[in-house]
Amino acid sequence: MRIILSTLFFLATVMIYAQGFLPISPPNPNSARTEDIFFLNSNLGYVCDGAGRILKITNEGDSVEVIYTNSSYYLRSIEFFNADTGFCGSLENALLKTVDGGSNWEVVELEFDIPGICGMHAFDDGTIFASGAWFGPAYYIISTDFGTTWTYHDMSEFATALVDVYFVNDTTGFIGGKNDLGAVLLKTTDRGETWNTVYNSDNPEDYIWKVHTLPGNPEKVYCSHQSPMQLDAIDYIWSEDMGESFQARSIDFYGMTQDVFFMNESLGFRTGHNGPLHFTSDGGNSWNIGGMGSNGNRFFMIDEENLYLGANTIYKYSSGVVSAGASIFNDRQDAAIHIFPNPASSHFTLSMQSEKADHLILSLYQLDGRFVEGLLKTNLETGDNRFEINTAHLSTGVYLIAAHINNGVHTRKLVVE
């Protein structure tokens, strides 16, 4: 995307004078998350959410209106070339296009399947990249004629899943996701003709989720690092030399970081699935809880007066807001997920009620958040979904089951006898 310029064990709630974000619209329906944000200028922007809605933002956030709704879609990414032509990617094999500023949206007819579009980046010359999907496979599609025709590029040589695509300039860009080893970041210096791996973690559950550069300094690249909920989880990596080398940082024992964004060398923010918003005022050396709830996904900055965040609704940055912190780790109960029998001996059954078609990656963790093994990767149908999982090989003890679906990561305790 272009940039224009609980705990399972305890609850920690604090009152601080924070760098804060205030909601500019009501909470999304059905606990849906605002997935992506794109602004053409401070007076015109668009967002999409998991409820299948596209919203238009005008007057620097003073006006927000729903311009499209299709509840069968989970809309993940949005990008515009200009005030007329834009695209919205879903996680249900569909790419939407508008040529009238969002008044009407049509499904783009493609000659290939696209399981999901998680990230997009457009150039002024009519080129647009669209990458996916967080649940696999790894690919991107590209158009060089404002979305009239598209070409598919298989990226399985480098990754098993891709999330975000971001270009620093006309030729140099990044795609982030995961492979069998862990989080992976790929770099191109020839606008996608060739790609090289510039970062790879060593935890198979990790992702590179979002990519940004520091406003005014494209040499400094920040990548959010989604890791399991463990004490030494990496929350982000950054580069001082446009991706030639990287350093990694753990903010605290939160994990599941979806986006990290720095407004300047000192002031930065972190958001994600299972922890509150954090901020730093010393360049990332220390972080504090900054209020607002969990489950944020994307920061978008236009200028120093206009920084937005997509979470359970649309938020706009306002310095000096007094706000309360939130749970250190949110054992989310907003999904109909049940495990039985529990305690389990040789097996358990996972029951998940889904309002629409979805995707599931089921993983097993120790109580300290350390990854044990992957249990299941599958699609979810509308209604009740049931899966039998073998536990006969597991040691007796208490574990965490993490169900990663489109709208976040949901956890349950599992006792194995």
Side-chain angles (χ1 to χ4, degrees):
M1 172 174 283
R2 294 176 292 178
I3 295 183
I4 301 177
L5 83 199
S6 278
T7 117
L8 294 176
F9 314 107
F10 63 93
L11 182 71
T13 301
V14 296
M15 185 68 72
I16 59 175
Y17 193 79
Q19 303 288 344
F21 286 80
L22 297 176
I24 62 172
S25 63
N28 298 333
N30 302 319
S31 301
R33 181 168 70 162
T34 300
E35 288 288 345
D36 203 7
I37 304 174
F38 181 82
F39 276 82
L40 287 157
N41 54 61
S42 61
N43 291 310
L44 179 60
Y46 298 87
V47 305
C48 62
D49 64 31
R53 304 185 309 164
I54 300 173
L55 295 85
K56 185 176 183 179
I57 305 174
T58 53
N59 301 322
E60 296 190 351
D62 288 340
S63 176
V64 181
E65 62 174 319
V66 178
I67 60 172
Y68 174 87
T69 301
N70 184 335
S71 60
S72 64
Y73 285 147
Y74 192 104
L75 298 179
R76 175 73 93 182
S77 54
I78 195 161
E79 184 89 353
F80 275 71
F81 280 111
N82 49 51
D84 295 321
T85 305
F87 297 86
C88 189
S90 82
L91 298 182
E92 290 83 21
N93 304 80
L95 176 64
L96 306 178
K97 180 180 181 179
T98 181
V99 293
D100 55 13
S103 297
N104 295 280
W105 294 83
E106 301 291 338
V107 176
V108 178
E109 296 295 333
L110 299 172
E111 297 179 354
F112 41 79
D113 291 331
I114 50 165
I117 296 293
C118 292
M120 288 191 280
H121 185 108
F123 296 87
D124 292 336
D125 65 1
T127 299
I128 181 169
F129 286 77
S131 59
W134 74 265
F135 47 84
Y139 70 93
Y140 71 87
I141 60 176
I142 182 174
S143 172
T144 58
D145 53 12
F146 292 93
T148 302
T149 59
W150 294 81
T151 303
Y152 182 97
H153 292 263
D154 183 352
M155 296 292 280
S156 59
E157 174 186 356
F158 302 98
T160 56
L162 290 175
V163 181
D164 200 23
V165 55
Y166 177 88
F167 276 80
V168 177
N169 54 44
D170 284 345
T171 57
T172 301
F174 300 90
I175 288 185
K178 68 176 296 186
N179 59 20
D180 290 335
L181 297 177
V184 65
L185 183 68
L186 310 174
K187 179 180 178 180
T188 179
T189 56
D190 51 20
R191 203 185 252 199
E193 292 294 323
T194 58
W195 296 88
N196 295 298
T197 301
V198 292
Y199 174 83
N200 210 169
S201 74
D202 58 2
N203 188 323
E205 294 295 285
D206 291 352
Y207 286 85
I208 294 297
W209 202 261
K210 293 288 187 294
V211 184
H212 296 285
T213 52
L214 185 70
N217 182 4
E219 293 286 330
K220 201 158 188 176
V221 181
Y222 294 91
C223 305
S224 56
H225 196 285
Q226 179 178 303
S227 299
M229 311 78 69
Q230 60 193 53
L231 293 178
D232 55 355
I234 297 173
D235 287 282
Y236 70 99
I237 60 173
W238 80 97
S239 172
E240 307 278 351
D241 50 17
M242 204 179 288
E244 292 303 306
S245 61
F246 282 91
Q247 302 176 66
R249 176 167 280 149
S250 174
I251 292 174
D252 213 326
F253 50 95
Y254 297 93
M256 298 298 173
T257 296
Q258 298 277 274
D259 203 6
V260 170
F261 184 82
F262 279 78
M263 293 185 72
N264 51 52
E265 292 281 358
S266 300
L267 182 59
F269 303 95
R270 172 266 178 203
T271 190
H273 279 319
N274 295 315
L277 182 137
H278 287 72
F279 75 96
T280 178
S281 56
D282 59 9
N285 293 314
S286 62
W287 293 80
N288 295 293
I289 293 176
M292 207 205 79
S294 63
N295 216 25
N297 188 53
R298 167 78 77 178
F299 294 101
F300 191 99
M301 178 175 168
I302 306 164
D303 53 45
E304 291 184 355
E305 300 299 322
N306 290 278
L307 173 64
Y308 293 84
L309 167 63
N312 65 322
T313 185
I314 308 164
Y315 291 83
K316 185 176 180 180
Y317 170 70
S318 177
S319 62
V321 175
V322 177
S323 52
S327 60
I328 296 285
F329 181 80
N330 177 21
D331 184 17
R332 298 182 60 187
Q333 300 293 323
D334 58 326
I337 301 174
H338 303 285
I339 294 173
F340 57 90
N342 192 6
S345 53
S346 60
H347 72 279
F348 70 87
T349 296
L350 176 77
S351 172
M352 296 188 65
Q353 194 73 24
S354 185
E355 294 182 355
K356 63 176 73 175
D358 209 322
H359 307 90
L360 169 66
I361 296 179
L362 193 70
S363 303
L364 184 71
Y365 295 89
Q366 297 175 5
L367 279 183
D368 64 2
R370 297 189 181 278
F371 176 70
V372 177
E373 63 179 77
L375 298 175
L376 180 67
K377 180 179 179 181
T378 189
N379 295 327
L380 298 177
E381 304 294 334
T382 301
D384 188 36
N385 296 262
R386 298 198 175 203
F387 309 98
E388 186 172 301
I389 308 296
N390 178 41
T391 59
H393 62 292
L394 295 176
S395 301
T396 300
V398 182
Y399 298 87
L400 293 180
I401 299 292
H404 192 175
I405 57 179
N406 286 342
N407 78 347
V409 179
H410 304 261
T411 60
R412 297 292 185 271
K413 283 186 180 179
L414 171 70
V415 179
V416 175
E417 295 181 326

